[in-house]
Amino acid sequence: MGNPLEKKDRMKIPRAVMPQQDPQERKRNFKEVPFGLTEEMALREASRCLNCPKAPCIKGCPVDVDIPGFIQLILEKDYAGAARKIKETNSLPAVCGRVCPQEEQCEAVCVMGKKFGPVAIGYLERFVADYERENNLIELPHIEPPTGRKVAIVGSGPAGLTVAGQLIKLGHKVTVFEALHKPGGVLVYGIPEFRLPKSIVQAECDFLARMGVEFQNSTVVGKMDTIDELFAMGYDAIFIGSGAGLPNFMGIPGENLIGIYSSNEYLTRSNLMRAFDFPNYDTPIIYGENVAVLGGGNTAMDSVRTALRLGAKNAYIVYRRSEAEMPARKEEIHHAMEEGVQFMMLTAPVNFIGNGDGKVKAMECIKMQLGEPDASGRRRPIPIEGSNFTLDVDLVVVAIGNSSNPLIPQTTPGLQANKWGNIIVNEETKETSRKGVFAGGDIVRGGATVILAAGDGRVAAQHMHKYLMEEVKK
Amino acid sequence: MPKVIDNIQIGPVVWKMRVEVPRLVEKAKAGQFVIIRVDEHGERVPMSIAGLDKKNGLLTVIYQVVGKTSALMTTVPAGGQLADCVGPLGVPSHVENWGIACVIGGGIGVAPIYPIAQAYKAAGNKLITIIGARSKNLLFYEEEHKAIADEMYICTDDGSYGQKGFVSDALKKLLDDGVKIGMIMAIGPVPMMRVVANLTKGYNVPTWVSLNPIMIDGTGMCGGCRVSLDGKTKFACVDGPDFDGHLVDFDLLTKRLGAYREMEKRAMKKFLEDPNCRLNEELKKVMAGN
């Protein structure tokens, strides 16, 4: 059964609009913002797909999901089948359907895109993954007979979970080591509930556990066991997906005042430790009335929207370039604007001012103008002399990226890292300078996205499998 | 989940807990710390290592009840469990033979300084130990320290035991007497560490302190534990917890430790009002008075 509509009729259907919580209501709660498509909406959206023979969307996807394939299964109302089709190459469809920047990837190259708006591939991915999970249709995939090979995965973020999902299916024994007390990495500590409910991440991890993946939480590789000790314990190959790790600060006066958080700390308190529900949960968090979030990426948007939900009267994004240069997803910027976030563009802090108790009370800023493009291709911001002004703030969240965490590079002799501390890998295989050690995600890339990390995991898993079967003798 | 072997009150508001974490204990070295979470709703709290029983895989922590989490910790019975105990975290203390090494412990700092004293002694140092407390009933670990110290001084603020005065007074006398101390390590309340560091600056004796700021993950990820050393920001979890006391900004440390004081009071109040609160009556009274 194919698509009953003629191509010209498919083009007449407008792109689905995602139903979502009203901005005035949602800005004070932590419930997920988009509700997801209804079945009827999903069917209509799926019927817009032209099922192009060349399928440019597949090439636009970092994990090569068979997009027309799963959309055809939607048209046949085999939603669980569609979810399984995605899972052939993407272990985390419910997550990616929510947090992937589809507009820059699969949807950016959709043939429908230019004239009629691309097929809402992300919405459909989310729909089938949710359908499968909510209707208890998740089935264990075929698992190959045991190979006798053991794999250790360091870090349970999107890269590590992807490697785990791929290698367990191939019959290897897989252990995931996680430093925090819950698996999921940035999906749990970083991305807020209103964008990615934690029950979904837990379901993905539970699914891996049902397939046989062993999770060892609260285990810090590099402190408990080093990479070499893991080999000595009998692991045949190791994947390092330990994430970016160390938050960057601005290096300006007053930065250690109380009320100045890294975005990692702010979001971890709220997301992982559930500080938004203090004192039902024991971890406190500072509630700001006037909150400035420094930075223009997705993490900055997550932080500023969290601040609103924690009661901020004024929540500002302070960014040194203009809106056009902001690295955050357009959808996230749009959501933040709808919720009343105030954007102070071309503005940079130069000094934090404290009260007598060591708490931040204001921030001195300077206005910027854009000059010539810099190494990143974005126009360089240049301070405008004499444009300084003061902004009253009682909470500042610094969301300007991370440096790599030194725990593993420092304790692994022979593991090559670049000058920023990111692990160097062979681009094609994701193998590091150490034999049998592979790496991917932010520990390699610096700050990137969930799907790029998952893509690294997928490539690494293929080559780890090859390595395990060809080079590890049993 | 890590099993609690015993959890005993050893002072008015001080408890000693032993936890069975054999792999952690096997790897841990003097000067490192762990992060404990008591239950599923709990905070992650860093705790200095106060003892490592390598043979039986037991970790000792000594804690003072200052807020809800430490109060809750007293209610875990022998044979009970913690939600998590992760570690070892932080860089182990630097140990070498300096000839004469001096360890100083104040308050509950007498406990985490003990494994470091053992390591100094094992490295061949002549070990001078100075321990102190406000009063006799607040002094712990005397026997443990006595067993390994070559010279030992006990100070109480009120003179109820040992010599009257601060640990820094005892140290000053040694320095004035010309004792050639190669390294001093001090652990205790921030004011004590500050006084010791300020004193030894004048004598030019290397002095290290172990810092215990507020942190969450303990692996460098959150940056909550930042401390300032000679104007440079460091993370206590991955760069410390030991730092050169002559460079530490103790003012900043004190202020940051108080960041959540109001919220801590709220949490404690709610905890005490809970009809199912399992704190002992004496502790309830003390906490209600705070």
Side-chain angles (χ1 to χ4, degrees):
Chain A
M1 193 177 99
N3 191 332
L5 295 179
E6 290 297 322
K7 285 203 170 151
K8 62 177 185 356
D9 292 325
R10 298 183 209 179
M11 293 174 189
K12 284 181 191 156
I13 305 169
R15 179 182 153 105
V17 176
M18 176 63 90
Q20 56 186 37
Q21 271 199 79
D22 177 74
Q24 289 314 309
E25 194 174 314
R26 75 183 190 230
K27 72 181 192 186
R28 296 295 185 222
N29 71 52
F30 277 86
K31 289 185 211 139
E32 192 174 12
V33 169
F35 294 123
L37 300 184
T38 61
E39 182 177 356
E40 187 191 346
M41 293 164 93
L43 279 170
R44 192 166 57 226
E45 185 62 24
S47 70
R48 297 180 68 231
C49 175
L50 300 176
N51 203 1
C52 315
K54 281 192 183 163
C57 49
I58 301 180
K59 290 184 202 78
C61 174
V63 293
D64 315 311
V65 166
D66 178 1
I67 293 163
F70 95 77
I71 292 181
Q72 291 314 299
L73 287 164
I74 295 179
L75 286 172
E76 291 168 25
K77 298 193 178 179
D78 180 5
Y79 308 123
R84 276 171 222 139
K85 174 61 78 184
I86 299 173
K87 280 187 184 167
E88 285 173 11
T89 64
N90 179 359
S91 305
L92 307 166
V95 173
C96 293
R98 289 172 163 82
V99 303
C100 255
Q102 290 96 5
E103 65 280 5
E104 295 168 14
Q105 296 172 166
C106 52
E107 294 181 14
V109 291
C110 176
V111 174
M112 287 282 281
K114 273 192 189 143
K115 269 182 138 172
F116 308 103
V119 174
I121 299 166
Y123 296 174
L124 292 175
E125 180 182 28
R126 172 181 161 164
F127 170 76
V128 298
D130 288 356
Y131 186 92
E132 186 197 32
R133 188 186 63 257
E134 287 163 8
N135 293 289
N136 294 317
L137 296 172
I138 296 179
E139 276 176 21
L140 287 187
H142 172 72
I143 291 176
E144 297 291 330
T147 62
R149 272 83 169 164
K150 277 173 73 178
V151 178
I153 294 171
V154 183
S156 65
L161 293 180
T162 300
V163 176
Q166 302 285 319
L167 292 183
I168 197 81
K169 281 195 276 194
L170 294 165
H172 306 297
K173 195 172 177 325
V174 178
T175 308
V176 178
F177 296 95
E178 168 55 47
L180 293 168
H181 54 267
K182 268 192 194 148
V186 73
L187 307 175
V188 166
Y189 75 73
I191 303 178
E193 185 77 19
F194 55 81
R195 205 150 73 81
L196 177 63
K198 299 309 134 206
S199 57
I200 288 171
V201 183
Q202 191 58 51
E204 302 280 15
C205 295
D206 289 347
F207 177 64
L208 291 173
R210 273 173 59 203
M211 286 200 279
V213 174
E214 186 199 344
F215 285 94
Q216 283 197 16
N217 300 334
S218 295
T219 308
V220 184
V221 173
K223 284 289 171 191
M224 176 66 99
D225 296 302
T226 62
I227 296 295
D228 286 304
E229 285 166 330
L230 290 175
F231 277 123
M233 286 158 68
Y235 291 99
D236 300 303
I238 298 172
F239 178 80
I240 304 172
S242 53
L246 292 185
N248 293 335
F249 287 91
M250 320 273 300
I252 59 177
E255 200 154 42
N256 293 330
L257 288 165
I258 296 167
I260 302 179
Y261 283 129
S262 73
S263 52
N264 284 359
E265 179 175 5
Y266 187 58
L267 293 171
T268 301
R269 282 182 182 274
S270 182
N271 301 334
L272 174 73
M273 305 309 295
R274 318 296 277 183
F276 66 81
D277 195 12
F278 179 89
N280 291 322
Y281 283 78
D282 292 340
T283 302
I285 194 164
I286 295 170
Y287 299 88
E289 272 196 15
N290 300 302
V291 184
V293 175
L294 314 179
N298 288 324
T299 309
M301 298 306 139
D302 285 345
S303 301
V304 79
R305 295 172 68 198
T306 296
L308 272 181
R309 284 158 175 77
L310 290 173
K313 288 205 178 102
N314 292 296
Y316 308 102
I317 283 284
V318 177
Y319 182 57
R320 62 195 184 126
R321 304 183 207 241
S322 71
E323 197 185 319
E325 286 83 21
M326 286 180 103
R329 286 184 72 186
K330 294 284 166 287
E331 179 181 305
E332 301 308 326
I333 296 171
H334 179 67
H335 276 154
M337 284 179 169
E338 279 182 338
E339 290 168 10
V341 170
Q342 299 164 61
F343 285 71
M344 299 179 76
M345 297 293 100
L346 292 163
T347 304
V350 290
N351 181 25
F352 298 106
I353 301 151
N355 68 9
D357 299 330
K359 293 182 178 154
V360 67
K361 66 165 190 181
M363 179 169 92
E364 185 188 346
C365 300
I366 190 163
K367 299 297 279 180
M368 314 291 274
Q369 59 190 356
L370 291 180
E372 295 301 308
D374 65 11
S376 73
R378 296 178 297 179
R379 293 177 64 191
R380 184 194 303 275
I382 303 162
I384 303 171
E385 227 170 284
S387 66
N388 299 41
F389 68 99
T390 304
L391 182 70
D392 283 343
V393 287
D394 53 359
L395 177 63
V396 176
V397 180
V398 183
I400 56 167
N402 292 288
S403 307
S404 76
N405 193 301
L407 288 185
I408 290 169
Q410 272 175 9
T411 54
T412 313
L415 184 73
Q416 282 177 14
N418 66 19
K419 63 175 171 173
W420 297 284
N422 298 118
I423 296 175
I424 297 170
V425 295
N426 173 333
E427 274 308 311
E428 264 174 45
T429 62
K430 307 296 173 192
E431 189 165 14
T432 68
S433 55
R434 283 286 307 267
K435 201 170 161 56
V437 180
F438 298 74
D442 281 2
I443 187 70
V444 171
R445 294 174 176 272
T449 60
V450 167
I451 191 65
L452 288 174
D456 287 353
R458 178 167 148 73
V459 173
Q462 286 164 354
H463 291 276
M464 287 175 83
H465 177 60
K466 192 163 176 284
Y467 173 82
L468 287 162
M469 300 317 288
E470 289 173 10
E471 298 198 41
V472 177
K473 300 288 172 247
K474 286 280 162 179
Chain B
M1 295 207 302
K3 186 174 158 195
V4 173
I5 299 302
D6 47 26
N7 187 14
I8 308 159
Q9 186 167 10
I10 59 168
V13 284
V14 178
W15 265 254
K16 174 179 174 178
M17 178 186 273
R18 290 191 303 162
V19 189
E20 191 176 49
V21 273
R23 298 242 37 234
L24 187 160
V25 169
E26 179 196 328
K27 298 285 176 176
K29 294 199 172 81
Q32 290 188 290
F33 66 94
V34 300
I35 285 183
I36 283 175
R37 203 167 57 109
V38 181
D39 64 19
E40 276 310 311
H41 285 217
E43 291 180 271
R44 294 171 62 96
V45 278
M47 300 241 167
S48 303
I49 292 173
L52 293 166
D53 175 351
K54 300 256 176 191
K55 203 172 114 221
N56 298 304
L58 303 183
L59 162 83
T60 303
V61 291
I62 303 278
Y63 60 99
Q64 185 165 357
V65 179
V66 290
K68 190 214 160 161
T69 296
S70 43
L72 182 68
M73 222 169 132
T74 67
T75 66
V76 182
Q81 287 178 322
L82 297 172
D84 325 287
C85 177
V86 56
L89 298 168
V91 182
S93 293
H94 175 70
V95 178
E96 63 175 75
N97 188 346
W98 295 282
I100 302 176
C102 174
V103 297
I104 305 177
I108 63 164
V110 296
I113 200 88
Y114 174 65
I116 298 170
Q118 285 178 307
Y120 283 180
K121 176 85 179 175
N125 289 288
K126 177 182 173 189
L127 180 66
I128 302 178
T129 300
I130 306 174
I131 59 172
R134 274 192 328 235
S135 188
K136 187 184 177 188
N137 65 335
L138 298 168
L139 189 80
F140 321 104
Y141 265 52
E142 182 187 347
E143 292 310 313
E144 284 88 339
H145 281 293
K146 241 183 203 156
I148 58 166
D150 294 296
E151 255 176 58
M152 180 147 153
Y153 302 90
I154 297 172
C155 315
T156 50
D157 298 4
D158 63 1
S160 54
Y161 191 60
Q163 59 194 74
K164 184 173 179 345
F166 301 122
V167 287
S168 50
D169 300 331
L171 176 64
K172 184 168 190 305
K173 181 156 189 317
L174 290 174
L175 295 169
D176 286 338
D177 288 348
V179 178
K180 292 274 172 262
I181 298 172
M183 168 60 81
I184 296 169
M185 176 82 200
I187 307 183
V190 177
M192 181 213 98
M193 293 193 286
R194 182 207 302 258
V195 167
V196 168
N198 283 345
L199 170 71
T200 62
K201 224 182 236 177
Y203 295 84
N204 213 10
V205 182
T207 302
W208 284 61
V209 291
S210 175
L211 306 184
N212 190 11
I214 295 166
M215 59 178 76
I216 305 178
D217 63 296
T219 64
M221 188 269 279
C222 84
C225 64
R226 48 199 202 277
V227 293
S228 182
L229 256 84
D230 208 15
K232 289 189 199 69
T233 295
K234 299 277 177 191
F235 291 1
C237 64
V238 287
D239 299 320
D242 294 355
F243 292 101
D244 181 343
H246 295 160
L247 303 180
V248 170
D249 182 340
F250 287 104
D251 266 337
L252 179 77
L253 178 68
T254 306
K255 281 177 179 158
R256 288 186 64 86
L257 280 168
Y260 299 100
R261 198 152 289 145
E262 289 312 309
M263 296 186 81
E264 282 162 8
K265 277 184 190 156
R266 257 180 74 197
M268 193 71 209
K269 189 163 175 282
K270 179 171 181 282
F271 185 50
L272 291 172
E273 283 167 3
D274 182 345
N276 298 319
C277 178
R278 289 174 290 127
L279 286 193
N280 72 40
E281 291 305 318
E282 181 199 342
L283 192 56
K284 265 187 199 169
K285 262 184 225 149
V286 175
M287 289 294 119
N290 277 359

